[in-house]
């Protein structure tokens, strides 16, 4: 089983300790979340981020809220509503909160506190096992690709869908970790992922694991794909509609379009909790619009090694900042899930099967 080098989140008594991802890749800082508001703020400011990890954190957030206050339906409704409002796109958040609701609501008030911790910790443990399964199914896929190719495999990814984004090994990076553990030679192209630069988190993860990688500007993806430099693209997902349209970090659809033009397979790795059968297609997926400031400035280290935010654009410049985009199912070769690889065309039938 993959062991996270540093826990992305853990219970400590009646509070949580998270790895603050806004400080990475420069500093490793853990932060204690002792109240419902602490947990909600950590999710909305992206101290914790990545769809599965957001779900795990929200579930634990319900336990934190009940531990610190009342456990009646008013308190439960309040905790669920506050956490639900933190970020709109990743459906894992709603999925985890619905699961907490279904487990806790029928219980007498006096046993809800302990049950909340148990259920939330079960969600986290399951997430780690799910990542492991995605890794193994993805490894089988990578093996077929590398056999076909006959040399070290070159995979492109976007954003961060590694262990930092989950309670386990990750989703898109899980097959890469499994490949490394099984001696497959590979190289990973990591796109910077402006404006929040989650690609730097991916580069940090891969460097720590000793996996060869190359950081590239987001705009380099099309050229590298068209030049035949990439054998496969694997990304994570925040919400997958019933028809397979997939919301993921903004910039994903450009890679999918370029991959299709270049004849390179494009895979989405995600747990079943990321599939939203209630949403028929990508048009109904809510896309988070974040602060313009994220686009207008950039953060890095200054000459003394201190993190600094510097302004890029002139005062008064308008900026659009959609945090996600939707890749049409027609551009996706397959979904790597804990149940195996699902061809995009088979998805509607697969989803009907798991609902019954
Ligand atoms: O805004 P973020 O950093 O939470 O967005 C994360 C992504 O888009 C990831 O690619 C996705 O959640 C998959 S994480 C396993």
């Amino acid at each position: 089983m993959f062991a996270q080098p540093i826990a992305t989140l853990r219970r400590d008594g009646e509070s949580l300790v998270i790895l603050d991802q806004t400080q990475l890749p420069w500093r490793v800082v853990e932060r204690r979340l002792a109240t419902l508001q602490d947990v909600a703020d950590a999710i909305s400011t992206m101290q914790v981020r990545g769809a599965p990890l957001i779900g795990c954190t929200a579930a634990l957030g319900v336990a934190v809220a009940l531990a610190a206050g009342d456990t009646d339906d008013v308190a439960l409704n309040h905790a669920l509503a506050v956490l639900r409002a933190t970020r709109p796109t990743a459906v894992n958040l709603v999925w985890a909160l619905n699961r907490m609701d279904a487990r806790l609501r029928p219980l007498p008030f006096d046993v809800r506190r302990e049950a909340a911790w148990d259920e939330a910790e079960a969600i986290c443990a399951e997430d780690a096992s799910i990542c492991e399964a995605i890794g193994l199914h993805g490894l089988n896929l990578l093996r077929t690709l590398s056999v076909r190719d006959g040399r070290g495999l070159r995979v492109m990814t976007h954003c961060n869908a590694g262990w930092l984004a989950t309670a386990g090994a990750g989703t898109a990076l899980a097959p890469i970790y499994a490949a490394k553990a099984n001696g497959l030679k590979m190289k990973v192209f990591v796109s910077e992922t402006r404006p929040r630069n989650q690609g730097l988190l991916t580069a940090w993860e891969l460097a720590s694991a000793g996996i060869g990688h190359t950081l590239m500007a987001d705009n380099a993806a099309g050229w590298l794909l068209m030049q035949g430099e990439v054998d496969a693209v694997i990304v994570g997902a925040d919400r997958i509609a019933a028809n397979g349209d997939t919301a993921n970090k903004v910039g994903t659809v450009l890679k999918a379009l370029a991959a299709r033009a270049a004849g390179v397979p494009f895979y989405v790795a995600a747990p079943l909790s990321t599939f939203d059968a209630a949403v028929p297609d990508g048009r109904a997926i809510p896309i988070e619009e974040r602060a313009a400031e994220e686009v207008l400035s950039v953060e890095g280290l200054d000459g003394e090694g201190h993190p600094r935010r510097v302004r890029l654009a002139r005062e008064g410049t308008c900026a659009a900042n959609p945090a996600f985009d939707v890749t049409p199912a027609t551009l996706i070769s397959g979904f790597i899930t804990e149940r195996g690889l699902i061809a995009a065309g088979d998805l509607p039938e697969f989803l009907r099967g798991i609902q019954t």
Side-chain angles (χ1 to χ4, degrees):
M1 186 89 163
F2 181 94
Q4 292 194 332
I6 308 164
T8 44
L9 85 162
R10 61 188 161 87
R11 177 184 176 182
D12 186 27
E14 308 232 299
S15 52
L16 307 184
V17 175
I18 58 155
L19 176 58
D20 181 351
Q21 300 195 27
T22 62
Q23 303 296 312
L24 292 172
W26 306 294
R27 291 185 298 192
V28 172
V29 177
E30 289 193 325
R31 219 170 274 293
R32 179 172 297 276
L33 310 179
T35 66
L36 170 64
Q37 202 52 52
D38 287 349
V39 179
D41 291 345
I43 297 172
S44 54
T45 62
M46 296 173 62
Q47 289 176 354
V48 287
R49 44 145 299 281
L53 188 64
I54 291 171
C56 293
T57 309
L60 284 163
V62 175
V64 168
L66 299 193
D70 292 335
T71 58
D72 58 17
D73 283 357
V74 175
L76 179 60
N77 290 342
H78 177 67
L80 294 170
V82 168
L83 290 162
R84 235 176 228 131
T86 50
R87 293 192 74 188
T89 303
V91 74
N92 310 61
L93 174 84
V94 180
W95 171 87
L97 292 173
N98 286 347
R99 182 164 151 179
M100 293 299 285
D101 193 1
R103 172 84 180 92
L104 298 176
R105 198 167 297 275
L107 297 179
F109 301 159
D110 61 332
V111 298
R112 282 184 178 179
R113 286 200 178 96
E114 217 35 59
W117 285 115
D118 288 349
E119 189 68 6
E121 288 180 307
I123 288 174
C124 297
E126 284 168 30
D127 185 57
S129 305
I130 287 167
C131 291
E132 200 74 13
I134 289 174
L136 293 177
H137 292 300
L139 170 64
N140 290 338
L141 170 69
L142 293 182
R143 279 203 171 109
T144 65
L145 296 173
S146 54
V147 166
R148 193 180 56 184
D149 198 42
R151 58 186 158 87
L153 199 67
R154 301 154 307 170
V155 174
M156 180 181 282
T157 190
H158 187 57
C159 192
N160 171 267
W163 63 264
L164 284 166
T166 67
T171 55
L173 294 194
I176 288 164
Y177 289 128
K180 164 83 177 168
N182 283 273
L184 251 68
K185 218 173 124 211
M186 57 192 314
K187 168 182 168 176
V188 185
F189 285 104
V190 178
S191 58
E192 201 178 10
T193 319
R194 275 279 292 152
R196 293 291 296 226
N197 293 332
Q198 288 94 331
L200 301 182
L201 305 180
T202 297
W204 182 74
E205 276 195 32
L206 294 175
S208 314
I211 295 172
H213 59 282
T214 300
L215 186 68
M216 63 189 197
D218 296 318
N219 289 338
W223 177 244
L224 291 169
L225 283 157
M226 298 302 285
Q227 288 293 103
E229 296 286 329
V230 182
D231 301 306
V233 181
I234 308 181
V235 299
D238 290 83
R239 191 183 298 231
I240 302 168
N243 73 341
D245 290 352
T246 295
N248 190 49
K249 182 53 53 191
V250 69
T252 302
V253 69
L254 286 174
K255 287 183 176 61
L257 286 162
R260 173 57 53 91
V264 173
F266 182 96
Y267 296 100
V268 173
L272 295 181
S273 54
T274 305
F275 290 80
D276 186 354
V279 160
D281 60 46
R283 287 170 301 182
I285 297 178
I287 298 296
E288 179 179 15
E289 180 73 24
R290 293 189 63 87
E293 181 56 27
E294 292 183 349
V295 175
L296 298 172
S297 62
V298 71
E299 196 176 357
L301 290 189
D302 67 14
E304 273 79 52
H306 300 121
R308 289 273 179 272
R309 178 160 283 281
V310 295
R311 174 159 288 282
L312 291 172
R314 287 182 57 164
E315 205 68 53
T317 306
C318 290
N321 190 11
F324 301 94
D325 59 27
V326 176
T327 299
T330 48
L331 296 177
I332 297 170
S333 310
F335 297 92
I336 309 167
T337 74
E338 64 268 39
R339 300 270 187 98
L341 180 68
I342 302 158
D346 296 341
L347 186 66
E349 196 190 328
F350 172 80
L351 290 179
R352 275 194 296 277
I354 60 171
Q355 273 165 358
T356 49

